[in-house]
Amino acid sequence: MENYLDLRQILGIIRKHIIFIIISFILCLIIAVGLEKFVITPQFTSTAQILVNQKKRYFSSRGSLSGSAS
């Protein structure tokens, strides 16, 4: 009696049960998405601000600050 499985036997087992594996994966995916969307409340929120039309300030090649001061 063999006490080990070779690659062909493992692939044969997977091939034999491929429909069950695919259906199980899709079912778990649907359950996880449903829980995430409808049951679990978000724990973290964030906000962002975008600043537009600001006057540019830049350093010249000598290291001094040039440009508009406001």
Side-chain angles (χ1 to χ4, degrees), residues 7-41:
L7 186 58
R8 288 185 191 141
Q9 290 174 326
I10 294 172
L11 291 176
I13 292 169
I14 291 173
R15 194 175 304 126
K16 183 178 177 182
H17 298 288
I18 192 71
I19 299 297
F20 176 74
I21 293 169
I22 292 172
I23 290 172
S24 297
F25 175 77
I26 292 172
L27 184 63
C28 289
L29 183 66
I30 291 170
I31 290 171
V33 169
L35 286 174
E36 190 270 331
K37 290 288 185 184
F38 302 113
V39 176
I40 301 173
T41 57

Side-chain angles (χ1 to χ4, degrees), residues 31-53:
I31 290 171
V33 169
L35 286 174
E36 190 270 331
K37 290 288 185 184
F38 302 113
V39 176
I40 301 173
T41 57
Q43 295 180 357
F44 302 103
T45 59
S46 65
T47 59
Q49 292 181 342
I50 300 174
L51 304 175
V52 293
N53 292 334

